[in-house]
Amino acid sequence: MLSKEMVIERARELGFDDIGFTGAERFEAQDEVLQSRREGYTWLQNVGVDLFEGTDPKTILPGARSIIVLIENYCREAFPASMVGKFGRCYLDDDRITQDGLTQRLKAFRAFLREHGVASKLPFHLPHRLAAARAGLGDFGKNCLFYSNRVARHSSWVLPLAVVVDYEFAPDEPTLGIGCPEWCRNACIAACPTGALEGPRKIDPRKCISFLTYHGEGLTPVEFREPMGTWLYGCDRCQDVCPRNHAWMAQELPVSERVSAMAADFDLAQLLQMDADYFATRIWPHMFYTPPTDRWRWQMNAARAMGNTRDRRYVPDLTRALREAEDERVRAMAAWALGRIGGADARAALESASCGNSEMLQTEVTQALAACSG
Ligand code: SF4
Ligand code: SF4
């Protein structure tokens, strides 16, 4: 007979930071929240992630009886400075395509369950954070993120992984609720650059930089471009400003060799000029929410990030993109970025831009020239 102690021991052997158990009953409150904000989440359904279905573990595994939640601290190591502030930390060592890190440990954990006659599923559309709180592993911040109550110095730099099983384990005591100190005057809500955080535990995902960088449609709306700063894929701002995270971030951590080895590939100039093969082999296997057919989105994000650095060393790259990029959204964003950086060379590039019959490009070039003058 498989006991909780045996599961905990195996999970710890495999390097997971914390382990908790909850029942497989439906996440009714989450279902109600999603129903009341249905509009904000339909885009996820359109990309194949059905959060509504995920609220019932029995749709994931028909004989579901419990959920084992594993906690993974994804910031055990620091990341190279050139990548911080551009890519959400939780994506920097994501091996779901390369399958050479965390995925192997999860496979080993599920193999252990299987050896004891327990079937399991590891769904991506179940409310993982809520499952973790229901399993007593932590609570929430007003920024909607999950905070550990035992590991990672009680920070939000943790990934809850919910494993649905057809075996009954006694549930742990839930720790649902918000754990923010009263003296923090909603720093995360005030700091959210795009106004996605509308109030305590209330987010409009369509305004979140994460959505805007990898799912947003077409040319990024002008009102978001400056607030999005240098973020290219995800955003950590509401975690970076959070005092609940300071204890973890104040440590000197060794820099990840694995992530450092790929940092050069994620250089802004490389991303802006990359061809389809570069994207498919060097970028997409690590950050794959944008499909391989949407290379333009990465290039557009790189152009916008360059503009927001206000660094004139990027003017030659942006000038080249304005002239030669295959996609007009990339050319349009290169024009915007040149206007944001300004200076004589940027102005000259904009003045000599050939817009053909692209109204979008013509508008962006005109506005960028006005910004240069300003
Ligand atoms: S991740 Fe960034 S954009 Fe999204 S809610 Fe947090 S601060 Fe706002
Ligand atoms: S910044 Fe303040 S309000 Fe926001 S999650 Fe952190 S402690 Fe809570």
Side-chain angles (χ1 to χ4, degrees):
M1 200 175 123
L2 188 61
S3 67
K4 279 172 83 169
E5 289 68 30
M6 289 160 72
V7 174
I8 291 168
E9 189 185 338
R10 184 64 185 132
R12 291 219 183 277
E13 279 170 8
L14 288 167
F16 293 103
D17 295 278
D18 207 357
I19 307 101
F21 300 80
T22 184
E25 57 275 12
R26 192 181 174 85
F27 291 86
E28 277 179 20
Q30 177 75 351
D31 192 41
E32 280 167 27
V33 169
L34 289 174
Q35 296 293 356
S36 68
R37 301 182 201 161
R38 187 171 267 278
E39 243 180 42
Y41 292 93
T42 43
W43 62 274
L44 262 173
Q45 271 180 305
N46 296 339
V47 295
V49 181
D50 191 340
L51 294 183
F52 299 92
E53 189 188 278
T55 58
D56 186 359
K58 291 192 173 62
T59 63
I60 292 156
L61 183 67
R65 292 170 75 187
S66 293
I67 302 171
I68 304 171
V69 185
L70 305 167
I71 296 291
E72 173 81 351
N73 175 353
Y74 59 82
C75 280
R76 284 191 202 125
E77 294 176 308
F79 298 115
S82 66
M83 297 185 91
V84 173
K86 298 191 183 84
F87 311 93
R89 288 182 180 86
C90 68
Y91 304 116
L92 285 175
D93 196 8
D94 186 337
D95 79 324
R96 281 178 284 174
I97 299 294
T98 55
Q99 306 227 325
D100 54 358
L102 174 62
T103 305
Q104 292 303 322
R105 287 158 54 217
L106 285 166
K107 274 187 184 163
F109 182 71
R110 292 182 64 202
F112 161 80
L113 294 173
R114 201 162 46 246
E115 282 157 21
H116 288 82
V118 177
S120 68
K121 288 272 186 196
L122 183 64
F124 50 84
H125 60 313
L126 183 139
H128 293 75
R129 294 170 188 163
L130 206 49
R134 210 162 81 176
L137 295 168
D139 55 32
F140 291 92
K142 291 182 189 172
N143 54 10
C144 305
L145 291 159
F146 173 80
Y147 287 72
S148 168
N149 58 10
R150 291 197 286 243
V151 298
R153 299 194 181 178
H154 299 208
S155 70
S156 65
W157 308 112
V158 291
L159 192 62
L161 301 149
V163 185
V164 182
V165 295
D166 66 350
Y167 188 89
E168 186 134 353
F169 293 101
D172 292 322
E173 195 62 37
T175 47
L176 299 158
I178 294 179
C180 298
E182 272 184 26
W183 52 261
C184 178
R185 296 184 180 84
N186 301 341
C188 52
I189 297 170
C192 176
T194 52
L197 288 174
E198 296 176 334
R201 286 195 72 185
K202 188 159 184 236
I203 185 170
D204 181 344
R206 294 163 301 179
K207 285 192 196 161
C208 179
I209 290 173
S210 299
F211 169 87
L212 292 167
T213 50
Y214 43 65
H215 286 303
E217 277 188 23
L219 185 62
T220 305
V222 71
E223 68 270 23
F224 289 133
R225 294 179 197 167
E226 192 180 323
M228 286 170 75
T230 56
W231 294 106
L232 267 92
Y233 191 93
C235 164
D236 281 337
R237 187 148 169 73
C238 54
Q239 296 187 87
D240 285 339
V241 300
C242 176
R244 299 178 73 181
N245 282 337
H246 286 183
W248 185 264
M249 297 316 274
Q251 299 172 90
E252 286 252 355
L253 294 167
V255 178
S256 164
E257 284 180 22
R258 199 175 139 96
V259 179
S260 297
M262 62 187 207
D265 286 347
F266 284 79
D267 172 72
L268 289 181
Q270 297 279 11
L271 294 171
L272 180 63
Q273 312 295 356
M274 69 184 166
D275 61 20
D277 181 60
Y278 187 103
F279 180 49
T281 56
R282 301 200 196 190
I283 305 302
W284 184 83
H286 304 288
M287 297 183 197
F288 48 85
Y289 289 173
T290 299
T293 46
D294 283 2
R295 175 170 50 106
W296 67 270
R297 190 188 298 283
W298 271 90
Q299 294 175 304
M300 178 183 72
N301 286 334
R304 190 245 316 134
M306 282 177 171
N308 282 327
T309 65
R310 319 293 300 264
D311 187 338
R312 290 192 180 176
R313 90 186 138 111
Y314 289 125
V315 168
D317 288 302
L318 290 163
T319 301
R320 187 176 152 200
L322 176 61
R323 285 195 195 124
E324 299 174 13
E326 291 160 28
D327 193 292
E328 71 167 352
R329 292 161 291 194
V330 180
R331 297 176 71 201
M333 193 60 87
W336 178 84
L338 286 165
R340 180 127 173 85
I341 294 173
D345 291 343
R347 167 173 275 284
L350 289 161
E351 282 172 344
S352 62
S354 158
C355 300
N357 54 7
S358 169
E359 209 177 301
M360 174 197 285
L361 198 49
Q362 187 65 63
T363 305
E364 292 296 337
V365 167
T366 305
Q367 288 173 354
L369 277 167
C372 272
S373 303

